[in-house]
Amino acid sequence: MRIEPVDFIVPGDRMSGLYAADRADPGPGPRMSFRHFQVVIEHGWSDERSEAWVARRSGEIAGGYALHYPQSDNTHLALIRVLAVHPDHRRNGVGGALLRHAIERARAEGRRVILGEAAADRPGAAFAAAFGFSPAATEARRVLDLRTADWSGFELMRGDAVRHARDYQLERWAGPVGEEQLGEMAELMSGMNDEPLGDLDIENQRWDPARVRAHDQSTVAAGLRAYTMVARHTGTGEPAGFTRIAVDAHEPEGWARQHETAVLRPHRGRRLGLILKLANLAWFHACEPSVERVVTWNSTSNSHMLGINEKLGYQVLDLWNEWQLRV
């Protein structure tokens, strides 16, 4: 078995082999298109530096992994974005060899903590524990079935909620944010730093217009079409909160992904999170009627957002742990 680097300029069969290993995982939920997968591996979503490696056995790509190194904050971290072994090559030490290689690469880069995720009820959890990783946070993956959603109930729910937020108006756009709103979007993205993190050794992310633009460029490059809804305080003009849903424009497979949702602290307590998600969901459904399900992730300790999603009818699909190793 040889472990080989993936050349992002001329990837050859290594990127496609890594994708095949990841795609062969039979777990539930949406799969990434190759285009989406390649962008995530090579660039991440904003300013992460990336590298990827594959294990080759008897001439075949047996599996591989990708590491991301944050650059503008959290420079002590190495993030395992993917670690996959094709089912035809499991139980042969491939996964262990790849993880040991990833740990050494993180050490060589001067990173002190490695983070990765695995479904709580699948073999990846025991695998991480065997290598000394500790579960530092838990997230629930939930799914909303748009085919059976209570759309009339949503309208009534929104009508009741807006009574508590009469001083706010909603704005929306599809695709990247406009140049004139990059600064405001950076402020809104910073609101995500209030999400509960459990025992994860993570610092606040620093958002500025350049990072927002890089995030949007990665989204477009991945083939995703994003729908964004923003709440603005009418008296001051301040942005108050936002939410975003994205769908693979080329290979949707009936799925969409609920991305970020945040309400800034001065504007909380007015049901803006619920209003934003209801309005964006209705708009998204009108624009993308072929999408059948929306998947979302939330920390199990984020009681406010969990309450909103439960009102909307999201059902738990599975639980995932964030695994942490100090090196």
Side-chain angles (χ1 to χ4, degrees):
M1 181 173 62
R2 300 193 313 273
I3 296 180
E4 307 168 351
V6 178
D7 184 339
F8 293 157
I9 303 301
V10 186
D13 67 338
R14 295 174 184 174
M15 182 66 75
S16 58
L18 178 55
Y19 177 67
D22 185 67
R23 181 91 176 183
D25 190 317
R31 309 292 182 91
M32 293 187 204
S33 67
F34 180 74
R35 176 177 175 177
H36 186 179
F37 180 85
Q38 186 170 13
V39 167
V40 170
I41 296 300
E42 294 184 4
H43 306 293
W45 293 116
S46 53
D47 67 341
E48 295 117 342
R49 182 166 55 83
S50 307
E51 63 179 58
W53 300 76
V54 297
R56 191 183 296 275
R57 296 180 71 242
S58 303
E60 296 183 352
I61 302 297
Y65 73 88
L67 275 180
H68 286 182
Y69 303 110
Q71 297 297 294
S72 62
D73 49 55
N74 288 290
T75 55
H76 63 297
L77 295 180
L79 312 175
I80 300 177
R81 290 301 191 195
V82 170
L83 196 159
V85 178
H86 194 281
D88 293 345
H89 295 276
R90 290 176 184 169
R91 307 295 181 185
N92 287 302
V94 176
L98 287 168
L99 185 52
R100 283 188 290 271
H101 191 274
I103 291 170
E104 288 306 312
R105 287 296 307 136
R107 285 178 176 146
E109 291 290 331
R111 302 295 165 131
R112 304 191 315 273
V113 177
I114 304 177
L115 299 181
E117 62 182 18
D121 62 347
R122 302 185 65 202
F127 177 72
F131 277 81
F133 284 76
S134 300
T138 303
E139 291 191 327
R141 187 166 58 157
R142 284 175 161 81
V143 174
L144 176 64
D145 192 327
L146 301 182
R147 297 165 295 184
T148 58
D150 183 6
W151 294 102
S152 59
F154 288 172
E155 284 299 312
L156 293 173
M157 197 184 305
R158 183 179 170 191
D160 179 64
V162 296
R163 296 188 295 107
H164 301 269
R166 297 189 187 280
D167 295 333
Y168 296 84
Q169 62 186 24
L170 300 182
E171 302 171 3
R172 68 190 190 191
W173 65 82
V177 61
E179 291 291 329
E180 69 283 357
Q181 294 172 300
L182 284 172
E184 291 184 345
M185 200 65 208
E187 183 181 358
L188 290 170
M189 290 292 287
S190 296
M192 295 294 296
N193 287 324
D194 291 339
E195 182 181 3
L197 295 174
D199 295 324
L200 289 169
D201 185 359
I202 294 180
E203 304 166 354
N204 286 345
Q205 290 187 307
R206 292 192 292 271
W207 287 90
D208 58 21
R211 190 170 187 176
V212 172
R213 176 54 69 218
H215 185 278
D216 274 359
Q217 288 172 344
S218 290
T219 300
V220 171
L224 303 183
R225 184 164 49 241
Y227 293 81
T228 304
M229 189 77 61
V230 169
R232 185 180 299 277
H233 188 258
T234 53
T236 63
E238 295 177 350
F242 82 110
T243 191
R244 178 159 38 205
I245 298 174
V247 62
D248 192 314
H250 303 285
E251 297 182 53
E253 296 186 343
W255 287 91
R257 293 170 170 85
Q258 171 67 56
H259 284 195
E260 309 90 352
T261 299
V263 175
L264 301 183
R265 290 182 186 180
H267 304 280
R268 292 174 186 167
R270 296 171 177 84
R271 303 191 186 181
L272 286 176
L274 177 62
I275 292 167
L276 283 163
K277 294 195 80 167
L278 284 167
N280 205 37
L281 193 61
W283 178 45
F284 175 82
H285 184 56
C287 295
E288 303 281 353
S290 65
V291 173
E292 299 175 343
R293 291 166 291 186
V294 181
V295 65
T296 188
W297 298 76
N298 298 110
S299 167
T300 55
S301 59
N302 191 348
S303 58
H304 179 68
M305 193 56 63
L306 292 178
I308 290 175
N309 287 336
E310 288 172 359
K311 285 182 180 180
L312 295 177
Y314 278 90
Q315 300 294 315
V316 175
L317 180 62
D318 50 16
L319 296 177
W320 288 67
N321 288 323
E322 292 279 354
W323 293 85
Q324 182 169 268
L325 177 69
R326 300 186 186 281
V327 298

